[in-house]
Amino acid sequence: MAEVMEMLALSPTMEEGTLAEWTKAEGDSVAEGDILAEVETDKATMEMESFYSGTVLKLLAEPGQTVRVGDPLVIIGEEGEDISGLLSELGGGAKPAAKAKPEQAEPEEAEAAPEDTRESAPAAAEEAGNDDGRRIKASPLARKMAEDKGLDLASIEGSGPGGRIIKRDIESAKAAPAKATRAAAAAPSAELHAAAGISEVPGEQQPLSQMRKTIAKRLVEVWQSTPHFYLTMGIDMAAAMKVRKDINAQLAAAEAGYKVSVNDLIVKAAAAALAKYPAMNTGFAGDSLYAFDEVNIGVAVAIEDGLITPTVRNADQKALGAIAREVRELAGRARDKKLKPEEYSAHTFSISNLGMYDIDEFMAVINPPDAAILACGAVKQVPVVVDGELAVGTRMKLTLACDHRVVDGATGAEFLNELRRNLENPMLLLV
Amino acid sequence: MREIAFRDALNEALAEEMERDESVFLMGEEVANYNGAYKVSKGLLDKFGPRRVVDTPIVELGFAGIGVGAAMGGLKPVIEMMTFNFAILALDQIVNHAAKLRYMSNGQLSCPLVMRGAAGAGGSLASQHSQSLEQQYAHIPGLKVMMPATPYDAKGMLKTAIRDPDPVIFIESEVMYGMNGEVPEEEYLIEMGKGDIKREGADCTIVTWSRAVHWSLQAAEIAAEQGIDVEVIDLRTVRPFDKEIIAESVKKTNRVIVVEEAWPMASVGASVAEWIGRELFDWLDAPVGRVHQRDIPMPYAYNLEPLSLPSAEKIAEAVKKACYR
C-alpha cells in the first residue's frame, strides 16, 4: 500500500516550505525516520524525516519549489507498486503555493482578523482547472478526533463509503503534525501596488523568501494589535565597560576562546531585573494575562534576509560567561539557519541591539508573546553634567517598548531603573 | 416475578387509579358492557358502576369534547379510542382545546385528561386501520405523548398519565395487548419523559418506541451474530423525549438508527433524527440512520403488510451500514 507524505509544518508558524533538496532519489529505499529532504521554512532550513519505510516511488516536488503545508510531497511504497491511480487522485502532485489563495482566518484568533484580500490574478491551481485539491470526506466524529490528536485529515486514507474518513481510520492513523495554524494574511493587494504607481517605475519583482513573508505578516499583526508605548533612559556605562575589559583580559589570558560583549551584560542585567519585577515578564493572552515562570530572553540576531530571536532560557539563573557562550553559539547557528524551533521560541522578553551600527537610540517592535522589548543604542563618549560641571561621560540609550495592555508606564519605569542599577553597578551581574 | 398480559397491566393501572382517585372515570366505545374492544376494561363496570365506566355512541368528536369539558370541570377522564385511526375525528377537541386551555386561560384552567387506545398495524386490517399517527399529537405544544412497549412500562406509564395535570395521549400498539411480561404486585410509577435502555451495547444505538422496540431487539440479536454490539433505547415518552439518554448512548457508540413504525415524512423519528444530527454532530461517525414504514398506504394483502413495515432484518441492515460493515 503506497503512502503519501505531505509537506509537514516544521515550525509553529510555517504555512509553506521551499524544498531545498531531496536527500533520497526515486527508487531509493527508505526507513522510517530517515532524512528525505531539506526544507527551507520561514525560520530555518530543516531536515524532514520519513514517516514510512519502503521505496521512494515518486518525488512530487522539484528543488526550489514552494509547497504548502499539507500538500503531497512524496509517495513511498513497495518497489514496483502501481501508483497511477494514486497519482491521478492527487492531481499531479504538489501544487506551487498559489500567491492568491485567500487564507483562512482561524476562529480561535479572537482579535478581528483583517479581511482576506484576494488578488486579481487567478491562482495557479485554478488555472489548471482544479479547485486546489480534493474535498476531504470525513465523519464529524473523525474530524473532531483528528483535530484533538493533531492529525492532518489529508494524510489519512478513508475506509468509509466514497473514501469517507471514519473513526476507525483515525484510530489506526499515525500521529502526524497538524497543519500550521493559518492566520489571516494582511498582505497589500496587487490593486494597492497598482494604485501606488509601483508598476510605472522600472524594476524587478522578486519573490519573498519564507522568512520575509513571515516577518511581514507577523509584524503587521503585532503593529495593528499591540498598543506600544516607549520609555527611553540614558545609562552610565563607564563602570560596565571597565568590568567588561577586565573580564575579557582575564578570559584571553586563560585562552577561554570567547569574550563577553556589551549585549551579554545587558542580557544578564535585564534578566536579573525581570526576576525582580515579574510584572514585566508577562504576556497578553486575549482575555487573560499570562505570567511566565521562566525568564527567557530572546536575543534578536540579524541574518541574511531577515532576523530571528534565539532564546536564552532561564537567563536570570545563568552566569555571565554561560550567557556569552550560549548567545554566541545560538547566533552562529541562526546565521546558518540551523536553529530548531524550540531554540527560537518560548522567549518572555526580547532585546534588540543596534549599537554595533553606531545607532544612538531606536524603538523596537514588540515580539509576541512578550510584553516588552528593549532596544539598545551604542555606548558613546558624550558631554555630561556632573555636579554642575561639564565632563566626558560614557553613555548608552535604552528604549523599552511596552505592550500597554499588560504593562503601564510606572511598571516599565521601575523595571528600567532596576536595569540601570544593575548596569551602573556591574559587580551585581557577577553575583 | 409474575407475568401478565399487556392488556391486564393497563387494566390494573386503570383499576388502581380509579380506586385511588374518585374523579377518574373511563368512557369510550364498548368500554363498559363489552369489557372493551380489546378487553382492557374487563371487570371495571362491575367494580366501579356505570357512572364511572361509560359506554358512548360512535362519535369520537362528541365524547372527546365531553372529556375536555369534564377535565376543565375538575374530573380526570380516561377516554378510550377504539382505534387512533378514528381519533382523527376528535382532533379539533384535542388540538384546539385540550392542548391550549392552560396557555390560553393564563393557567386558570387545566385539562387533565388521558386519551388512550390502539394504533398501528394489526395484521391485514388495511389502510384505514393500520396507521401510526403519533406525530399528529407529538407536534402539538401542550400535549404529552406516551407509547409503552412492555406490560411493565404500560402499567407504570398509564398511572403516571392519569395523575398528570395536562392532556396525555397514550398510544398502545394493537398487536401488543396479548404480549406477556413481568409486572410486580406492588405499586410503581414510570416518570414522564424518561427513556429506558432495553439492551446495552457499545457499537451502535437504536432509538425507538412502542412496537418497534421488539423489532429492534430482534435486530440486535441478528447484529450480535455479526459481531456488532447494539444498544436499544426505548424512549417510552415521545413528547417530551429523553434527550439525555440518547446523548449518553450516542457519545458512547457514535452511530445511531432511529426506528419507528410510522411513515418517514414529518414523523417523530424525523424530529429525533434531526435533533441528534444537530446536537450530537461531533459525536457521529456515520449519518443518522432511519428505518420506518414504506411511504405508501398500508396494503391489505396479508403477505404485503410485513414488506411495508420495518422488520428485524431491515433494522439489522441499517445497523450494519452505520457501522460501515
Side-chain angles (χ1 to χ4, degrees):
Chain A
M1 178 70 206
E3 302 278 7
V4 180
M5 244 189 89
E6 291 94 357
M7 173 61 81
L8 304 174
L10 298 164
S11 84
T13 52
M14 173 174 164
E15 290 175 15
E16 52 190 40
T18 304
L19 186 78
E21 61 172 315
W22 288 109
T23 51
K24 296 276 181 190
E26 286 176 13
D28 285 3
S29 66
V30 57
E32 190 182 333
D34 283 3
I35 306 302
L36 272 177
E38 296 224 324
V39 176
E40 186 202 334
T41 75
D42 53 342
K43 292 274 200 286
T45 303
M46 309 274 294
E47 293 172 332
M48 195 171 98
E49 295 179 2
S50 176
F51 284 169
Y52 308 109
S53 297
T55 303
V56 178
L57 299 175
K58 184 84 186 156
L59 301 177
L60 300 167
E62 301 286 328
Q65 189 178 332
T66 298
V67 182
R68 265 195 304 273
V69 170
D71 276 359
L73 208 54
V74 54
I75 300 176
I76 295 167
E78 288 166 31
E79 200 167 357
E81 193 175 340
D82 176 24
I83 53 168
S84 53
L86 192 57
L87 280 172
S88 62
E89 197 178 306
L90 294 173
K95 309 263 186 308
K99 279 199 306 247
K101 186 180 184 306
E103 300 285 9
Q104 295 293 312
E106 278 288 310
E108 283 93 315
E109 308 232 340
E111 289 93 347
E115 285 292 313
D116 299 341
T117 50
R118 265 183 190 277
E119 293 193 12
S120 53
E126 284 168 3
E127 280 173 7
N130 179 323
D131 64 345
D132 181 34
R134 65 207 158 100
R135 195 179 90 82
I136 298 170
K137 286 168 75 176
S139 77
L141 178 75
R143 281 182 193 278
K144 188 157 191 313
M145 286 171 75
E147 192 183 334
D148 292 347
K149 292 171 86 170
L151 289 168
D152 181 1
L153 282 174
S155 67
I156 296 165
E157 200 67 37
S159 68
R164 184 190 297 153
I165 298 166
I166 58 177
K167 182 182 177 181
R168 65 169 172 240
D169 303 325
I170 304 285
E171 282 170 340
S172 59
K174 268 186 185 320
K179 282 194 181 185
T181 303
R182 298 196 153 218
S189 65
E191 291 90 334
L192 201 65
H193 284 310
I198 205 164
S199 56
E200 294 163 25
V201 182
E204 180 196 3
Q205 202 167 358
Q206 295 174 345
L208 291 175
S209 69
Q210 294 301 326
M211 178 170 282
R212 217 55 256 164
K213 279 184 198 171
T214 304
I215 291 171
K217 204 179 84 181
R218 287 194 71 212
L219 286 175
V220 167
E221 280 169 17
V222 177
W223 196 248
Q224 289 181 336
S225 67
T226 311
H228 288 59
F229 71 85
Y230 305 93
L231 305 169
T232 303
M233 185 181 260
I235 311 277
D236 182 349
M237 289 293 283
M241 296 309 275
K242 179 167 185 334
V243 163
R244 173 176 171 256
K245 196 174 156 192
D246 293 348
I247 289 173
N248 285 341
Q250 293 303 321
L251 286 173
E255 293 181 351
Y258 72 94
K259 289 182 186 173
V260 170
S261 70
V262 175
N263 201 59
D264 297 332
L265 295 173
I266 299 168
V267 169
K268 178 67 189 170
L274 283 166
K276 195 160 175 179
Y277 286 96
M280 288 301 300
N281 201 45
T282 54
F284 183 76
D287 56 355
S288 56
L289 180 147
Y290 210 92
F292 300 113
D293 284 340
E294 296 176 351
V295 175
N296 301 338
I297 309 279
V299 181
V301 175
I303 59 177
E304 190 195 347
D305 192 41
L307 79 157
I308 193 161
T309 50
T311 305
V312 180
R313 297 206 169 204
N314 297 302
D316 59 323
Q317 294 163 32
K318 287 178 177 161
L320 194 54
I323 290 172
R325 289 193 302 270
E326 192 173 332
V327 170
R328 228 153 238 74
E329 197 268 336
L330 285 170
R333 281 196 294 115
R335 288 185 193 103
D336 296 341
K337 295 199 170 183
K338 292 289 180 201
L339 285 180
K340 300 189 190 83
E342 62 267 26
E343 293 177 315
Y344 56 76
S345 56
H347 43 78
T348 65
F349 182 90
S350 297
I351 293 177
S352 179
N353 194 329
L354 294 177
M356 65 290 282
Y357 297 101
D358 208 26
I359 298 295
D360 290 335
E361 58 176 296
F362 70 104
M363 299 189 289
V365 180
I366 291 171
N367 191 15
D370 308 355
I373 186 167
L374 188 69
C376 316
V379 177
K380 291 191 170 182
Q381 298 266 297
V382 291
V384 293
V385 178
V386 183
D387 298 333
E389 296 288 324
L390 206 55
V392 176
T394 306
R395 295 284 187 272
M396 172 179 74
K397 287 253 176 92
L398 292 182
T399 301
L400 183 72
C402 302
D403 179 349
H404 214 327
R405 293 172 304 179
V406 276
V407 174
D408 299 327
T411 317
E414 284 173 3
F415 164 80
L416 216 43
N417 274 297
E418 176 68 13
L419 178 57
R420 174 166 64 181
R421 200 171 69 89
N422 289 338
L423 284 170
E424 292 186 352
N425 304 283
M427 286 302 171
L428 289 171
L429 304 178
L430 307 178
V431 292
Chain B
M1 198 188 294
R2 64 170 185 159
E3 289 208 353
I4 60 172
F6 193 94
R7 63 164 58 86
D8 298 328
L10 292 169
N11 180 279
E12 281 187 7
L14 286 166
E16 285 175 21
E17 290 307 298
M18 288 172 82
E19 198 77 60
R20 179 179 167 271
D21 182 348
E22 285 221 331
S23 59
V24 178
F25 74 101
L26 177 69
M27 67 172 157
E29 296 152 5
E30 309 284 21
V31 297
N33 284 298
Y34 188 66
N35 282 322
Y38 296 96
K39 303 301 171 216
V40 169
S41 53
K42 191 178 177 184
L44 295 183
L45 174 64
D46 296 343
K47 201 178 279 184
F48 298 103
R51 272 190 83 252
R52 296 185 64 197
V53 184
V54 184
D55 273 331
T56 67
I58 307 177
V59 280
E60 281 80 4
L61 178 65
F63 62 80
I66 290 169
V68 173
M72 285 166 68
L75 296 179
K76 292 184 180 154
V78 178
I79 305 159
E80 179 173 306
M81 289 287 167
M82 191 184 286
T83 157
F84 266 91
N85 294 285
F86 302 116
I88 293 171
L89 291 155
L91 270 182
D92 171 61
Q93 283 300 325
I94 299 301
V95 172
N96 281 327
H97 301 287
K100 309 285 194 293
L101 279 168
R102 181 182 295 283
Y103 179 79
M104 292 181 73
S105 70
N106 194 20
Q108 295 174 87
L109 297 170
S110 65
C111 192
L113 67 78
V114 174
M115 185 165 91
R116 52 154 293 273
S124 209
L125 297 179
S127 300
Q128 297 165 326
H129 286 77
S130 305
Q131 303 169 98
S132 299
L133 299 172
E134 59 264 31
Q135 54 73 234
Q136 292 182 334
Y137 306 98
H139 186 63
I140 311 298
L143 296 180
K144 294 164 183 173
V145 184
M146 298 177 103
M147 298 183 73
T150 65
Y152 176 87
D153 290 347
K155 182 175 177 182
M157 287 164 67
L158 183 53
K159 286 168 70 80
T160 298
I162 292 169
R163 294 184 195 187
D164 197 272
D166 291 307
V168 178
I169 311 302
F170 196 93
I171 304 175
E172 301 140 15
S173 168
E174 185 145 352
V175 297
M176 292 199 310
Y177 286 122
M179 180 184 292
N180 287 313
E182 290 189 339
V183 176
E185 307 268 0
E186 60 274 12
E187 185 179 72
Y188 63 95
L189 292 168
I190 290 170
E191 199 182 332
M192 172 84 62
K194 272 275 178 280
D196 182 40
I197 299 175
K198 287 287 191 281
R199 177 193 170 115
E200 290 208 349
D203 298 336
C204 183
T205 303
I206 294 177
V207 178
T208 185
W209 55 93
S210 192
R211 182 186 181 181
V213 169
H214 302 283
W215 290 319
S216 300
L217 288 168
Q218 291 160 7
E221 294 295 331
I222 297 172
E225 287 166 21
Q226 299 165 337
I228 303 173
D229 189 15
V230 175
E231 179 147 304
V232 179
I233 290 177
D234 177 4
L235 287 180
R236 300 197 290 197
T237 302
V238 299
R239 181 189 182 99
F241 70 89
D242 188 342
K243 292 171 175 170
E244 277 171 29
I245 202 171
I246 296 174
E248 205 168 310
S249 179
V250 171
K251 284 176 183 178
K252 177 175 67 174
T253 64
N254 311 123
R255 285 169 271 274
V256 59
I257 312 291
V258 181
V259 182
E260 62 189 326
E261 187 180 335
W263 290 301
M265 181 73 193
S267 68
V268 172
S271 293
V272 171
E274 181 276 333
W275 179 85
I276 293 170
R278 187 161 39 88
E279 290 298 321
L280 302 172
F281 183 79
D282 278 332
W283 295 94
L284 292 170
D285 196 34
V288 180
R290 290 186 61 195
V291 181
H292 45 74
Q293 191 178 147
R294 280 174 190 264
D295 205 5
I296 52 169
M298 179 65 78
Y300 174 48
Y302 194 79
N303 59 333
L304 294 182
E305 183 177 299
L307 298 179
S308 196
L309 285 171
S311 67
E313 291 72 24
K314 290 177 190 173
I315 299 165
E317 199 50 46
V319 166
K320 215 168 129 181
K321 194 175 162 196
C323 293
Y324 300 109
R325 298 282 285 268

